[in-house]
Amino acid sequence: MNRLSLFQKILVAMLTLSLVPLLVSSAILALNLGSVRETLADRIADAADRQASESLRLRAEQVAEGIAGFLQDCEADLKLCVTLPRTPEILTAFYESRHGEIWRRDGTAAAPREVRESIPRYASLAVIDANGRETFVIREGAIVPESGLRTVADPGQTEFLREDYFQRARQLKRGEILVTHVTGFHVGKEEQLAGAREPEDAYSGREFRGVVRFATPLFDRRGRFDGVMVLSLDHRHLMEFSQHISPGQNRAVVFPSYRSGNYAFIFDDEGWIITHPKFWDIRGVDADGTLVPPYTKNSPPADVEAGRIPFNLDHAGFIHPNYPRVAQLVRERQSGYVDITNVGGAKKIMAFAPIPYSTGDYTRHGIFGGVTIGFQVDQFHETARAGSAVINLQLREHLRLSAIIVAATSLMVVICAWLLSRGVTRPLALLTDGVRRLAGGESGAKVEVAARDEVGELADTFNRMADELELRKNRLLKTLEELEESRRHIMDERNFKESVLESISSAIMTLSPEGLLTSINGTGTRLLGPAAVIGAPYQKVFSEWSDMTGRIAEALAGRREYGREPLVLGTDGKERHFEVGFFPIYADRSGGLTVTIRDETEKESFREEMTRLDRLASLGKLAAGIAHEVRNPLTGVSLLLDDLHDRAGLDAESQAMMGKALQEIERVERLVAGLLNFSSPPKAFLREADLNRVIQDTLLLLRRECESRNVALGFEPGDVPVFRIDVEKVRQALLNLVKNALEAMPDGGSVRVTTGVDGDTAVVTVADTGPGIADNDLPLIFEPFFTRKGAGTGLGLSITQRIVEEHHGRISVESSAGAGTTFTITLPMG
């Protein structure tokens, strides 16, 4: 802690006595005003919440009553339609008389338009006979021709593939009505958004198009069942009840803002949402008619991202516990409001009201569902914020006035304290400043004090001490400069040597005459691993390096020629090639031994690969030359034999022999074609393709052959993204591998093909349960013309290897006698 000066002590004392009482009284008044402000704001906010919530509840009840009346009108329409003569003219006139206005968006986000159009109330009107066959249908305002009529007794032929409204309606009594739940194909998130960020910005996306079926049985004059009359309510008319409500505005909107949280939606008696700005929240079925499961905390992330998550309030407790509570209260025929946080994270008040209705599927709870209207909480508090603003203004005015008074008082106290202490503290301040400048390294720091008292004598003594310190400082600085120069030379030399050693790709280490490790560079540490510890004996350092310890022992004893020599190590069944060097430290080896190690494995592999490529190139040229030279005379021989075979004068035995000769010539032709394909393969044509689809199509070609050979063919596809491959060549490589497996299992077995991803490479494995490959044959199987079969060219695996290498991939094999064979292909996806 810094000690206070005399001036500071006087100043602090006067400020404390004059300012503390004033500051305390001002703080108490400010706290009291703040408390009053918060209490008033809270009361205003509570009153606003209650008033707005009640208003939303009344509006929800009005909308619910309107929906209930609308559903009753639909029942009345169905009852009227049953009494009408079933002639196309009358039914069409009835259908055209039932219209309703739809207010929807059109255009684009850059040029939006609003459209109001009158559309039929019902998506379709259908008359179905006693066998479930449609006899008359009006759909989307047009009469369906005879060829378009369906047998809806089969749920698979219904519009949404699994509807059973015909079977259920035929079980009803005269005058009873079946009313189904909302049915339609589910709309995914991207289908609605079509690239937009929010539903209110999506103009070109797909709309949800569903229906509510109103069905009643028909009876003839004898009271026998005669069919079913069905009116399918267009779901868009239900959307009109909730889609245009915007609680934050005093007018209707064409489409509400989901982002703001101010919107309404309708849910049915089972908790499913049936109208909503987010179409992917609406109950629906998938492409085969199965109801899409609701959004829960266990929903797969992929479904959540794709919007395959219709919303059911009974399953939404993990988002907010009030969602299932609202669904239950509505089933109990209660209205009200609750606090809710929606999926988007908006905190809001949600008012709700039941829709009274008890026909068809809705007899269980006596409700069609419920209407909810949500409004963000913070928008209720505008009145409270206005009152708080007035109080804050008065409080700031008071604080400003108090600050002016405190500032004026403080200025007067500072002036008085400065005048009082200046005459006492100025000489001492000059001396203190001189000491501080001297301590800070300022040369020649002197103190000019005119007084002839004790303070003046202290100033003269200080000036003499400053001169002496300046002289000694100069001497010390000169000595330090000389030491720094020496240290710089030593560090430069050491850093140069270390940089040279670390930049060398070979391992370099030194051993003492006793065989202890005295130094090693970074390459050596990485090569030898944890055993390379300074001070460790060379026997421990090279314990796993074959006869390296013996060579070092001979070099240390002087019984071995110095220089470089090769070293081959076998590790995990693989050979590694090194070049090791031994050099003495000093001419008489008194300094120990320098050992160098350079990894030559990759260089050796390159040399072997170049040798193999040269051999294959020569073999390809030779094969191409032989194939061209053989094909021409072979064609002539084939034509002559074919002409002789067709002559009538030959006996049967001669004709059979010529037929056999022609078959052998065809086999030679196939061999020649294989040689030409091997020697001059077509250039790879790479394009984006689905590897799993290519493999699946290829295996389909082999399915019949596998069944005839009693071989089980299986495919286990992994999650492999689309990347660039030559589809035909990949198919040829896979055919070669699977056909080799089939030929190796004449008595049956199994072949399993799998795909997967390892980092940025795709992996394909082909495993069979055949007799395996002999250990002596494994190094040769990819060589051209190598085969252990009685027939064949021996080029299949060579061509497969070349195809994989054209894709910059690798192919490997694992096999043992009696345990089957597994080929693994890795293809880079970059």
Side-chain angles (χ1 to χ4, degrees):
M1 175 181 284
N2 295 329
R3 297 178 60 186
L4 296 177
S5 64
L6 181 60
F7 174 79
Q8 291 171 333
K9 290 179 180 179
I10 296 173
L11 183 61
V12 168
M14 296 190 67
L15 289 175
T16 301
L17 292 174
S18 58
L19 297 181
V20 168
L22 181 60
L23 291 175
V24 170
S25 61
S26 298
I28 292 174
L29 180 58
L31 290 174
N32 289 337
L33 287 176
S35 176
V36 172
R37 179 200 63 186
E38 293 176 359
T39 301
L40 181 59
D42 290 341
R43 291 180 179 178
I44 295 173
D46 290 342
D49 287 351
R50 287 193 298 273
Q51 182 179 2
S53 299
E54 285 295 332
S55 176
L56 290 179
R57 181 181 63 81
L58 292 174
R59 190 171 182 183
E61 290 177 351
Q62 292 174 354
V63 175
E65 291 175 1
I67 296 172
F70 180 72
L71 295 173
Q72 294 294 338
D73 290 344
C74 293
E75 283 190 36
D77 286 346
L78 180 62
K79 293 176 181 178
L80 174 60
C81 191
V82 169
T83 64
L84 297 174
R86 300 171 203 166
T87 62
E89 294 78 8
I90 294 178
L91 292 178
T92 301
F94 168 80
Y95 180 85
E96 292 295 337
S97 68
R98 298 301 190 264
H99 273 63
E101 185 179 77
I102 296 297
W103 185 18
R104 61 180 179 84
R105 300 181 300 177
D106 198 1
T108 64
R113 292 189 302 114
E114 297 183 11
V115 176
R116 295 180 183 267
E117 60 179 331
S118 178
I119 66 171
R121 176 180 294 180
Y122 302 103
S124 65
L125 180 154
V127 180
I128 307 169
D129 65 17
N131 296 320
R133 175 71 178 176
E134 294 175 339
T135 60
F136 177 79
V137 176
I138 302 176
R139 182 175 293 113
E140 302 295 340
I143 298 177
V144 178
E146 179 70 23
S147 60
L149 299 179
R150 298 173 291 196
T151 302
V152 296
D154 177 10
Q157 295 191 36
T158 58
E159 181 178 2
F160 300 109
L161 304 177
R162 296 194 179 187
E163 296 181 272
D164 60 352
Y165 57 85
F166 174 77
Q167 291 85 347
R168 296 172 60 195
R170 72 178 300 167
Q171 304 298 325
L172 300 179
K173 299 177 182 179
R174 185 188 298 273
E176 292 182 339
I177 296 176
L178 169 68
V179 184
T180 68
H181 286 90
V182 171
T183 306
F185 289 115
H186 183 258
V187 176
K189 181 178 180 181
E190 288 304 321
E191 291 178 306
Q192 179 186 0
L193 295 181
R197 295 177 59 86
E198 299 290 344
E200 52 263 39
D201 303 325
Y203 282 78
S204 58
R206 175 185 165 194
E207 293 184 352
F208 177 82
R209 298 296 295 272
V211 297
V212 176
R213 309 283 189 191
F214 288 80
T216 188
L218 302 174
F219 297 91
D220 60 15
R221 295 179 179 179
R222 298 181 180 181
R224 293 178 300 183
F225 175 72
D226 193 34
V228 174
M229 175 73 72
V230 182
L231 290 179
S232 299
L233 174 64
D234 192 324
H235 174 267
R236 289 178 290 177
H237 291 290
L238 279 180
M239 291 283 285
E240 285 295 297
F241 283 98
S242 63
Q243 197 76 344
H244 308 306
I245 297 175
S246 180
Q249 306 180 38
N250 294 324
R251 60 182 180 84
V253 295
V254 65
F255 197 91
S257 170
Y258 173 76
R259 182 169 47 234
S260 70
N262 302 333
Y263 59 90
F265 66 85
I266 303 172
F267 62 93
D268 64 18
D269 63 331
E270 294 179 345
W272 291 98
I273 286 182
I274 57 176
T275 72
H276 198 278
K278 293 194 309 180
F279 297 160
W280 65 87
D281 278 0
I282 298 176
R283 158 197 181 119
V285 298
D286 58 19
D288 63 356
T290 302
L291 187 65
V292 179
Y295 182 26
T296 68
K297 62 180 179 182
N298 298 320
S299 294
D303 285 354
V304 176
E305 180 66 22
R308 186 182 165 85
I309 47 170
F311 209 83
N312 188 303
L313 271 60
D314 290 327
H315 297 270
F318 72 101
I319 297 176
H320 198 287
N322 276 340
Y323 278 119
R325 179 167 171 263
V326 166
Q328 184 57 37
L329 289 174
V330 166
R331 293 189 192 102
E332 295 173 1
R333 311 288 293 276
Q334 297 185 39
S335 61
Y337 48 86
V338 293
D339 294 332
I340 285 292
T341 301
N342 68 1
V343 177
K347 295 182 178 180
K348 60 182 185 179
I349 294 293
M350 189 172 79
F352 58 90
I355 303 171
Y357 190 68
S358 57
T359 304
D361 289 348
Y362 304 97
T363 58
R364 178 181 177 186
H365 300 289
I367 61 167
F368 181 76
V371 176
T372 72
I373 303 177
F375 193 52
Q376 284 200 37
V377 173
D378 58 353
Q379 298 185 24
F380 290 164
H381 300 160
E382 293 297 333
T383 304
R385 283 194 286 267
S388 298
V390 174
I391 298 174
N392 285 332
L393 180 63
Q394 295 297 325
L395 181 59
R396 283 195 297 270
E397 183 64 25
H398 168 76
L399 293 177
R400 186 182 67 82
L401 182 59
S402 299
I404 292 174
I405 296 174
V406 171
T409 305
S410 300
L411 180 61
M412 293 176 61
V413 170
V414 169
I415 293 173
C416 293
W418 183 81
L419 292 175
L420 179 63
S421 61
R422 181 175 180 275
V424 179
T425 60
R426 185 173 180 278
L428 294 178
L430 291 174
L431 185 58
T432 301
D433 180 66
V435 173
R436 186 181 298 109
R437 287 188 285 113
L438 182 62
E442 184 178 341
S443 300
K446 300 293 181 67
V447 177
E448 299 295 336
V449 178
R452 292 292 180 263
D453 53 13
E454 290 81 358
V455 176
E457 293 180 2
L458 179 61
D460 292 339
T461 304
F462 171 79
N463 290 334
R464 289 194 299 272
M465 180 185 69
D467 292 338
E468 183 66 22
L469 286 176
E470 179 67 17
L471 179 62
R472 295 187 179 184
K473 184 186 75 171
N474 292 334
R475 293 175 182 173
L476 181 60
L477 289 176
K478 184 177 180 181
T479 303
L480 287 176
E481 288 177 358
E482 294 174 354
L483 290 175
E484 180 63 24
E485 185 67 22
S486 299
R487 188 184 73 83
R488 189 180 303 112
H489 287 308
I490 294 172
M491 292 298 295
D492 289 344
E493 184 176 356
R494 187 189 72 178
N495 292 338
F496 173 76
K497 292 179 179 179
E498 289 182 353
S499 299
V500 171
L501 287 175
E502 291 300 325
S503 64
I504 296 175
S505 60
S506 299
I508 301 177
M509 64 205 75
T510 57
L511 301 176
S512 68
E514 295 78 18
L516 302 180
L517 183 66
T518 56
S519 69
I520 185 170
N521 66 349
T523 304
T525 302
R526 292 189 293 272
L527 183 63
L528 296 175
V533 179
I534 301 299
Y538 72 87
Q539 295 90 342
K540 180 179 179 182
V541 175
F542 294 97
S543 60
E544 298 180 359
W545 281 69
S546 183
D547 62 341
M548 190 69 175
T549 55
R551 298 187 189 187
I552 293 176
E554 293 179 356
L556 285 172
R559 298 192 301 271
R560 189 179 190 88
E561 292 292 334
Y562 297 116
R564 294 182 175 85
E565 56 191 51
L567 175 66
V568 180
L569 294 180
T571 305
D572 298 331
K574 298 181 180 179
E575 288 188 347
R576 297 185 65 186
H577 296 262
F578 298 92
E579 181 186 76
V580 298
F582 305 98
F583 306 95
I585 301 176
Y586 307 140
D588 56 355
R589 305 189 308 278
S590 60
L593 188 68
T594 298
V595 180
T596 64
I597 304 175
R598 183 166 60 193
D599 193 341
E600 299 286 326
T601 303
E602 186 174 358
K603 180 179 178 181
E604 186 69 18
S605 298
F606 286 156
R607 186 187 66 78
E608 293 177 356
E609 181 65 17
M610 290 301 298
T611 301
R612 186 181 74 86
L613 293 176
D614 290 342
R615 185 171 65 252
L616 290 178
S618 300
L619 184 60
K621 293 178 181 179
L622 177 63
I626 293 175
H628 283 294
E629 294 299 327
V630 170
R631 172 169 279 182
N632 293 332
L634 193 65
T635 302
V637 172
S638 177
L639 292 172
L640 291 174
L641 287 176
D642 189 53
D643 184 53
L644 289 173
H645 180 268
D646 294 338
R647 291 185 180 181
L650 294 178
D651 56 277
E653 183 178 356
S654 297
Q655 286 187 340
M657 292 178 64
M658 289 183 183
K660 183 67 176 178
L662 286 172
Q663 292 177 0
E664 292 301 314
I665 288 175
E666 288 179 0
R667 191 165 72 87
V668 174
E669 280 282 356
R670 289 194 298 270
L671 177 59
V672 169
L675 288 172
L676 288 174
N677 185 38
F678 176 75
S679 62
S680 57
K683 184 178 179 181
F685 175 67
L686 302 181
R687 61 184 177 86
E688 297 283 343
D690 186 344
L691 180 61
N692 286 333
R693 176 58 63 84
V694 172
I695 294 176
Q696 188 173 15
D697 293 345
T698 304
L699 296 182
L700 185 62
L701 301 176
L702 298 168
R703 185 73 62 184
R704 184 63 59 84
E705 183 178 355
C706 291
E707 292 175 355
S708 64
R709 292 174 178 263
N710 196 25
V711 174
L713 181 61
F715 178 40
E716 299 177 8
D719 188 9
V720 181
V722 173
F723 66 102
R724 291 170 59 83
I725 59 175
D726 188 318
V727 173
E728 295 304 323
K729 290 194 174 186
V730 170
R731 180 178 287 115
Q732 179 185 0
L734 185 64
L735 284 171
N736 289 342
L737 294 179
V738 177
K739 284 188 174 182
N740 282 352
L742 293 178
E743 293 172 356
M745 297 183 293
D747 297 327
S750 66
V751 177
R752 187 179 77 258
V753 181
T754 63
T755 61
V757 173
D758 183 9
D760 58 353
T761 61
V763 181
V764 182
T765 62
V766 180
D768 63 54
T769 58
I773 302 173
D775 293 340
N776 295 334
D777 292 343
L778 278 176
L780 305 174
I781 61 174
F782 293 111
E783 294 294 330
F785 308 111
F786 175 79
T787 179
R788 294 295 186 190
K789 297 180 290 187
T793 63
L795 294 175
L797 289 179
S798 297
I799 293 174
T800 299
Q801 184 186 42
R802 189 188 64 228
I803 290 172
V804 174
E805 290 176 348
E806 286 178 353
H807 287 76
H808 304 286
R810 297 187 62 186
I811 182 170
S812 60
V813 60
E814 294 181 5
S815 181
S816 58
T821 303
T822 300
F823 283 90
T824 302
I825 297 174
T826 59
L827 302 174
M829 297 185 293

